[in-house]
Amino acid sequence: MRCSSLSNNLVPVLLLLASQLRLCVSFIPPSSSSSATSKISSNNNPSSSWNQVALHASSSTSSSDESTSSSSLQSKKRRNLLQTALIAPYLTVTTAITTTPQVASAAASSEKPPPIIPLLTTAKRLRTVPLFAIVDGNGTPFHTYDKDSAGGFGYFFTSYISAEYILDDAKKAFEKAKLEAEQKKEAGDTSGGAIGEDGTGEVPDTWGQARIVTVPLDVAMHLSVKKTQSVATNAKARKFNTYYQVIPATEDLNAAMRIDSGQRFKERGRVPLFFVDGLTLPSNEEGLDRVTPAFFILKDLVTEWKKQYPDSDLPKIQVRELNETFRSMITPAGRDKSVKDLVFVANSESVARAKDCARSYKLGEMILTK
């Protein structure tokens, strides 16, 4: 089950953030105004990526406001903000974060209290975790066509091995699909395409160049809560709604279901984070001496505990959910104090693999598969 859109109480803080960032973000338009896609920047500055996606995230709630407001100056301003937000992912962003009187004034006039953690701090914590996605040779991601939503699902894997397994399996499946498509064509059967009756009858010959790229967690999380559309390059350039999910390793999802016997981790799109009471790590954030680590990989938690407390038994392992944790971090006046010092610990193998992966991931285009 896909995570729902940002709740209404997030609208003011996202709009405020957007208005603040317009003072300190310089947009450089793409060379061609007709271009509808862009690759995710490989800039390692977390502020740049966060600002870019935060502006984009505000568009879903701004549009609903426009439909109910009168034709006033305020409504026009909302529309201008919406236009800026919609094109944000398709621009190269140069960010210079500074404290200005205008920003301070905007913050003081906010109608809603700020999140329990500054948004940019949340972005920095998320950005330390690399995820993996499957794209073609041009960086266009593969999405799975979903009949129920009539849209495409894009996936980000917490483990490189998981992505590699899916890629190998998909290549074999598409070799079979290509053969079947050729046989249908020879027999004069034109019914049904690669993604259904509205799709093309040709199976995209792109898997030979398919590869695994890395995408930071902060980008993936914003895409997961924002309704977007992409052009399906293998479906007559039609636009489809696109949805994004983070996919945990199977063994860790199974471990989470053993720890939490409820239905939560049986739902689609749930990602477990493992932690134990008493385990902390040194902090590199100002004002925090120690932080509480949450691990995507259960064995990493066990290893860290044994490293710090070799003579002590491991306490009861607990599990929390990534999407719920993310929302607790960005909700205005959030009450979940446990996230204040919570950091995300990436798997060391994933970090090493990410260094060798490309960072080319196109937004606005996709290849739809069954």
Side-chain angles (χ1 to χ4, degrees):
M1 181 175 66
R2 178 178 170 268
C3 296
S4 60
S5 300
L6 284 172
S7 56
N8 292 333
N9 65 340
L10 295 183
V11 177
V13 71
L14 287 175
L15 291 177
L16 172 62
L17 177 62
S19 65
Q20 293 174 351
L21 293 174
R22 292 181 70 179
L23 300 174
C24 58
V25 178
S26 173
F27 292 105
I28 303 175
S31 56
S32 172
S33 59
S34 62
S35 174
T37 63
S38 175
K39 295 178 181 178
I40 289 179
S41 171
S42 60
N43 189 345
N44 289 325
N45 183 353
S47 301
S48 176
S49 176
W50 181 268
N51 297 343
Q52 185 177 5
V53 184
L55 282 170
H56 185 58
S58 67
S59 65
S60 64
T61 49
S62 299
S63 59
S64 62
D65 289 342
E66 289 180 30
S67 63
T68 57
S69 62
S70 61
S71 301
S72 61
L73 178 61
Q74 184 178 9
S75 179
K76 291 181 180 179
K77 288 182 178 179
R78 285 200 185 106
R79 283 196 294 272
N80 291 335
L81 177 60
L82 174 60
Q83 292 169 359
T84 302
L86 285 173
I87 64 174
Y90 310 132
L91 304 178
T92 301
V93 183
T94 303
T95 309
I97 299 297
T98 56
T99 301
T100 65
Q102 294 93 333
V103 172
S105 176
S109 62
S110 172
E111 296 180 0
K112 290 284 185 179
I116 196 167
I117 304 172
L119 292 176
L120 293 182
T121 298
T122 297
K124 291 177 182 179
R125 293 182 184 181
L126 291 167
R127 195 171 180 83
T128 61
V129 180
L131 302 179
F132 303 95
I134 300 173
V135 301
D136 72 353
N138 297 318
T140 305
F142 292 91
H143 282 50
T144 301
Y145 180 71
D146 179 67
K147 291 183 179 180
D148 293 334
S149 63
F153 274 80
Y155 301 103
F156 301 106
F157 300 90
T158 60
S159 165
Y160 180 91
I161 295 177
S162 296
E164 189 175 44
Y165 174 81
I166 295 297
L167 177 57
D168 291 342
D169 189 60
K171 284 184 176 181
K172 295 176 183 177
F174 261 74
E175 285 297 326
K176 180 181 179 181
K178 188 175 180 180
L179 178 61
E180 292 176 351
E182 290 175 353
Q183 291 173 345
K184 282 186 176 183
K185 189 174 182 180
E186 291 175 357
D189 184 358
T190 59
S191 63
I195 59 168
E197 61 181 351
D198 292 331
T200 174
E202 299 293 332
V203 176
D205 189 19
T206 53
W207 286 96
Q209 300 178 355
R211 55 179 175 160
I212 298 172
V213 298
T214 184
V215 176
L217 180 59
D218 60 327
V219 172
M221 290 308 299
H222 277 287
L223 288 175
S224 72
V225 297
K226 174 68 180 71
K227 182 179 180 181
T228 59
Q229 287 191 326
S230 295
V231 173
T233 58
N234 63 318
K236 302 177 182 179
R238 283 186 57 201
K239 278 189 176 182
F240 293 83
N241 290 334
T242 48
Y243 312 97
Y244 297 87
Q245 292 182 344
V246 178
I247 305 298
T250 301
E251 58 268 29
D252 294 301
L253 186 59
N254 290 337
M257 288 189 287
R258 290 193 298 268
I259 297 170
D260 184 341
S261 58
Q263 297 296 313
R264 180 167 53 167
F265 289 103
K266 295 180 181 180
E267 297 176 355
R268 182 177 178 181
R270 295 291 190 172
V271 183
L273 296 170
F274 303 97
F275 68 100
V276 294
D277 291 334
L279 182 63
T280 62
L281 296 174
S283 172
N284 57 8
E285 295 180 14
E286 185 177 353
L288 278 179
D289 293 330
R290 308 284 295 184
V291 290
T292 300
F295 297 83
F296 286 85
I297 309 297
L298 178 58
K299 65 180 182 181
D300 290 344
L301 183 154
V302 177
T303 298
E304 182 62 33
W305 177 268
K306 290 182 178 179
K307 176 182 175 182
Q308 293 192 30
Y309 306 101
D311 299 325
S312 300
D313 293 334
L314 181 69
K316 180 182 178 181
I317 298 175
Q318 302 178 64
V319 62
R320 62 189 305 156
E321 205 277 320
L322 173 63
N323 297 284
E324 295 171 0
T325 301
F326 173 64
R327 291 175 183 278
S328 294
M329 287 179 157
I330 65 174
T331 299
R335 297 181 179 181
D336 185 0
K337 295 183 179 180
S338 68
V339 301
K340 291 188 68 174
D341 63 349
L342 187 75
V343 297
F344 305 95
V345 180
N347 176 255
S348 58
E349 181 180 350
S350 294
V351 173
R353 291 276 195 170
K355 292 179 181 179
D356 298 327
C357 288
R359 292 172 172 79
S360 177
Y361 186 96
K362 281 187 177 181
L363 296 174
E365 283 188 4
M366 62 180 173
I367 299 171
L368 273 179
T369 67
K370 284 185 177 180

